[in-house]
Amino acid sequence: MHSFSKIGALALAATALSTGAVAATGSTGTVTLGGHVDAKCSVVGGSGSTFSSSVDLGDLSGSDGQLRAALAATTASSPAGGVQNFQIACTGAGNTITLKADPIKAQTAAATGYANTINYTAEVDVALASGSTSSTSHASDSTVTTTNLNAADRLANLANNVQIKAYGLNTTAGALLVADPNYSGLISVTISPGA
Protein backbone atom coordinates (compact mmCIF):
# COMPACT_ATOMS: atom_id res chain seq x y z
CA MET A 1 0.00 0.00 0.00
CA HIS A 2 2.87 2.21 0.70
CA SER A 3 4.02 2.10 -2.94
CA PHE A 4 0.46 2.93 -4.10
CA SER A 5 0.58 6.16 -2.09
CA LYS A 6 3.91 7.06 -3.64
CA ILE A 7 2.54 6.52 -7.13
CA GLY A 8 -0.54 8.69 -6.34
CA ALA A 9 1.63 11.46 -4.93
CA LEU A 10 3.91 11.38 -7.97
CA ALA A 11 0.89 11.55 -10.29
CA LEU A 12 -0.46 14.58 -8.45
CA ALA A 13 2.93 16.29 -8.58
CA ALA A 14 3.24 15.62 -12.30
CA THR A 15 -0.25 17.08 -12.93
CA ALA A 16 0.62 20.21 -10.94
CA LEU A 17 3.86 20.72 -12.89
CA SER A 18 2.13 20.21 -16.19
CA THR A 19 -0.62 22.76 -15.32
CA GLY A 20 1.96 25.35 -14.25
CA ALA A 21 3.87 24.90 -17.50
CA VAL A 22 0.75 25.64 -19.59
CA ALA A 23 -0.05 28.79 -17.58
CA ALA A 24 3.48 30.07 -18.05
CA THR A 25 3.17 29.90 -21.85
CA GLY A 26 -0.19 31.86 -22.01
CA SER A 27 -0.50 35.28 -23.70
CA THR A 28 -2.09 38.53 -22.58
CA GLY A 29 -3.34 41.22 -24.93
CA THR A 30 -4.98 44.63 -24.65
CA VAL A 31 -7.25 46.68 -26.89
CA THR A 32 -7.03 50.46 -26.60
CA LEU A 33 -10.21 52.32 -27.48
CA GLY A 34 -10.01 55.95 -28.57
CA GLY A 35 -11.88 58.57 -30.48
CA HIS A 36 -12.45 62.30 -30.63
CA VAL A 37 -15.16 64.93 -30.19
CA ASP A 38 -15.29 67.74 -32.72
CA ALA A 39 -16.26 71.22 -31.54
CA LYS A 40 -19.89 71.67 -32.60
CA CYS A 41 -23.17 73.26 -31.55
CA SER A 42 -26.66 71.88 -31.98
CA VAL A 43 -30.17 72.85 -30.97
CA VAL A 44 -31.58 70.65 -28.21
CA GLY A 45 -35.15 69.68 -29.03
CA GLY A 46 -34.78 71.15 -32.51
CA SER A 47 -33.47 69.95 -35.80
CA GLY A 48 -29.81 70.46 -36.51
CA SER A 49 -28.17 73.78 -35.91
CA THR A 50 -30.92 76.34 -36.54
CA PHE A 51 -33.39 77.83 -34.09
CA SER A 52 -36.13 80.41 -34.53
CA SER A 53 -39.32 81.84 -33.14
CA SER A 54 -41.80 84.53 -34.13
CA VAL A 55 -43.16 87.28 -31.92
CA ASP A 56 -46.35 89.14 -32.85
CA LEU A 57 -46.29 92.52 -31.11
CA GLY A 58 -49.83 93.27 -32.28
CA ASP A 59 -50.82 96.80 -33.25
CA LEU A 60 -47.63 98.81 -32.89
CA SER A 61 -49.48 102.11 -32.62
CA GLY A 62 -51.48 103.58 -29.79
CA SER A 63 -54.85 105.32 -30.14
CA ASP A 64 -52.95 108.50 -31.13
CA GLY A 65 -51.25 106.75 -34.11
CA GLN A 66 -47.78 107.00 -32.56
CA LEU A 67 -45.67 104.11 -31.28
CA ARG A 68 -47.56 102.39 -28.47
CA ALA A 69 -46.22 103.67 -25.12
CA ALA A 70 -46.01 100.15 -23.65
CA LEU A 71 -43.56 99.15 -26.41
CA ALA A 72 -41.44 102.26 -25.88
CA ALA A 73 -41.28 101.50 -22.14
CA THR A 74 -39.92 97.96 -22.56
CA THR A 75 -36.60 97.14 -20.87
CA ALA A 76 -34.11 94.27 -20.74
CA SER A 77 -35.92 92.87 -17.71
CA SER A 78 -39.34 93.34 -19.35
CA PRO A 79 -38.80 92.96 -23.12
CA ALA A 80 -41.29 93.37 -25.94
CA GLY A 81 -42.96 90.04 -26.63
CA GLY A 82 -41.18 88.38 -23.71
CA VAL A 83 -37.93 86.45 -23.62
CA GLN A 84 -37.34 83.92 -26.40
CA ASN A 85 -35.65 80.84 -24.89
CA PHE A 86 -33.53 78.20 -26.61
CA GLN A 87 -31.22 75.40 -25.53
CA ILE A 88 -28.01 75.18 -27.51
CA ALA A 89 -25.49 72.39 -26.82
CA CYS A 90 -21.88 73.21 -27.71
CA THR A 91 -19.02 70.81 -27.14
CA GLY A 92 -16.31 73.45 -27.56
CA ALA A 93 -15.22 76.31 -25.31
CA GLY A 94 -14.40 79.95 -26.06
CA ASN A 95 -17.41 80.36 -28.34
CA THR A 96 -18.00 83.49 -30.41
CA ILE A 97 -21.47 85.05 -30.34
CA THR A 98 -22.57 87.38 -33.13
CA LEU A 99 -25.70 89.50 -32.97
CA LYS A 100 -27.39 91.47 -35.75
CA ALA A 101 -30.66 93.36 -35.40
CA ASP A 102 -32.63 94.76 -38.32
CA PRO A 103 -35.22 97.46 -37.53
CA ILE A 104 -38.94 96.70 -37.58
CA LYS A 105 -39.93 98.18 -40.91
CA ALA A 106 -43.07 98.65 -43.02
CA GLN A 107 -43.20 98.21 -46.78
CA THR A 108 -45.20 101.45 -47.08
CA ALA A 109 -43.19 104.64 -47.62
CA ALA A 110 -43.36 107.29 -44.90
CA ALA A 111 -44.50 110.81 -45.78
CA THR A 112 -43.37 113.86 -43.80
CA GLY A 113 -44.51 113.55 -40.18
CA TYR A 114 -44.82 109.77 -40.46
CA ALA A 115 -42.49 106.88 -39.70
CA ASN A 116 -42.24 103.40 -41.19
CA THR A 117 -39.27 102.23 -39.13
CA ILE A 118 -39.13 101.25 -35.46
CA ASN A 119 -35.75 100.79 -33.85
CA TYR A 120 -34.98 98.80 -30.69
CA THR A 121 -32.17 97.19 -28.71
CA ALA A 122 -31.59 93.47 -29.24
CA GLU A 123 -29.90 91.36 -26.57
CA VAL A 124 -28.70 87.78 -26.32
CA ASP A 125 -27.88 86.34 -22.90
CA VAL A 126 -25.89 83.10 -22.76
CA ALA A 127 -25.71 81.08 -19.53
CA LEU A 128 -22.21 79.76 -18.88
CA ALA A 129 -21.14 76.56 -17.13
CA SER A 130 -19.38 78.71 -14.50
CA GLY A 131 -22.78 80.00 -13.37
CA SER A 132 -22.36 83.47 -14.86
CA THR A 133 -24.05 85.00 -17.92
CA SER A 134 -22.53 86.63 -20.98
CA SER A 135 -24.74 89.40 -22.41
CA THR A 136 -24.40 91.00 -25.83
CA SER A 137 -26.68 93.87 -26.85
CA HIS A 138 -26.86 95.94 -30.00
CA ALA A 139 -29.02 98.66 -31.56
CA SER A 140 -31.14 97.69 -34.57
CA ASP A 141 -28.91 99.28 -37.18
CA SER A 142 -28.36 96.16 -39.35
CA THR A 143 -24.69 95.89 -38.38
CA VAL A 144 -23.11 92.98 -36.52
CA THR A 145 -21.61 92.99 -33.05
CA THR A 146 -19.43 90.14 -31.78
CA THR A 147 -18.62 88.82 -28.30
CA ASN A 148 -15.76 86.38 -27.83
CA LEU A 149 -16.10 84.24 -24.72
CA ASN A 150 -12.94 83.53 -22.73
CA ALA A 151 -11.07 80.42 -23.88
CA ALA A 152 -12.20 78.47 -20.79
CA ASP A 153 -15.87 79.56 -20.93
CA ARG A 154 -18.43 76.96 -22.00
CA LEU A 155 -22.18 77.25 -22.51
CA ALA A 156 -24.11 75.82 -19.58
CA ASN A 157 -25.64 72.42 -20.30
CA LEU A 158 -29.17 73.34 -19.25
CA ALA A 159 -32.54 74.36 -20.66
CA ASN A 160 -32.97 77.99 -21.81
CA ASN A 161 -29.22 78.64 -21.84
CA VAL A 162 -29.70 81.14 -24.69
CA GLN A 163 -32.22 83.97 -24.26
CA ILE A 164 -32.99 86.56 -26.93
CA LYS A 165 -34.99 89.74 -26.38
CA ALA A 166 -35.91 93.11 -27.89
CA TYR A 167 -36.67 96.24 -25.88
CA GLY A 168 -36.64 100.04 -25.89
CA LEU A 169 -38.62 100.36 -29.12
CA ASN A 170 -38.44 103.85 -30.56
CA THR A 171 -39.12 105.88 -33.67
CA THR A 172 -38.99 109.51 -34.76
CA ALA A 173 -40.42 111.64 -31.93
CA GLY A 174 -44.00 112.72 -32.59
CA ALA A 175 -44.24 110.77 -35.86
CA LEU A 176 -47.36 108.81 -36.77
CA LEU A 177 -46.74 105.23 -37.85
CA VAL A 178 -47.86 104.51 -41.42
CA ALA A 179 -50.59 101.89 -41.71
CA ASP A 180 -49.14 98.64 -43.02
CA PRO A 181 -50.13 95.04 -42.24
CA ASN A 182 -46.58 93.72 -42.42
CA TYR A 183 -44.09 95.53 -40.23
CA SER A 184 -41.14 93.16 -39.88
CA GLY A 185 -37.76 93.10 -38.17
CA LEU A 186 -35.19 90.37 -37.57
CA ILE A 187 -32.73 89.47 -34.83
CA SER A 188 -29.97 87.09 -35.98
CA VAL A 189 -27.74 85.24 -33.51
CA THR A 190 -24.85 82.92 -34.38
CA ILE A 191 -22.93 80.89 -31.81
CA SER A 192 -19.67 79.39 -33.05
CA PRO A 193 -18.72 75.88 -31.92
CA GLY A 194 -15.58 77.15 -30.17
CA ALA A 195 -12.48 75.02 -29.76
Side-chain angles (χ1 to χ4, degrees):
M1 282 204 167
H2 183 63
S3 64
F4 184 78
S5 304
K6 275 186 171 176
I7 293 172
L10 286 173
L12 284 173
T15 303
L17 285 174
S18 133
T19 303
V22 171
T25 61
S27 299
T28 302
T30 61
V31 176
T32 302
L33 302 175
H36 67 281
V37 174
D38 294 330
K40 59 184 155 269
C41 293
S42 62
V43 180
V44 177
S47 57
S49 61
T50 60
F51 56 97
S52 66
S53 70
S54 295
V55 176
D56 183 356
L57 298 174
D59 189 346
L60 301 168
S61 65
S63 59
D64 60 0
Q66 297 181 19
L67 179 64
R68 204 169 74 227
L71 293 173
T74 55
T75 63
S77 59
S78 182
V83 175
Q84 305 305 301
N85 293 299
F86 305 95
Q87 183 175 356
I88 310 300
C90 292
T91 58
N95 310 79
T96 299
I97 300 161
T98 59
L99 172 63
K100 179 184 176 202
D102 295 331
I104 302 168
K105 205 165 182 176
Q107 300 302 309
T108 305
T112 303
Y114 288 81
N116 67 351
T117 301
I118 300 169
N119 291 298
Y120 58 93
T121 299
E123 183 175 313
V124 59
D125 298 330
V126 178
L128 303 177
S130 64
S132 62
T133 300
S134 173
S135 294
T136 303
S137 61
H138 192 60
S140 59
D141 62 3
S142 300
T143 63
V144 175
T145 190
T146 301
T147 297
N148 295 310
L149 298 180
N150 294 324
D153 284 339
R154 293 182 182 279
L155 270 66
N157 183 17
L158 50 84
N160 304 329
N161 63 347
V162 175
Q163 299 184 326
I164 301 171
K165 46 194 158 182
Y167 55 89
L169 280 67
N170 63 86
T171 191
T172 307
L176 297 176
L177 292 174
V178 296
D180 190 302
N182 295 310
Y183 274 80
S184 181
L186 185 68
I187 299 172
S188 301
V189 175
T190 302
I191 301 173
S192 77

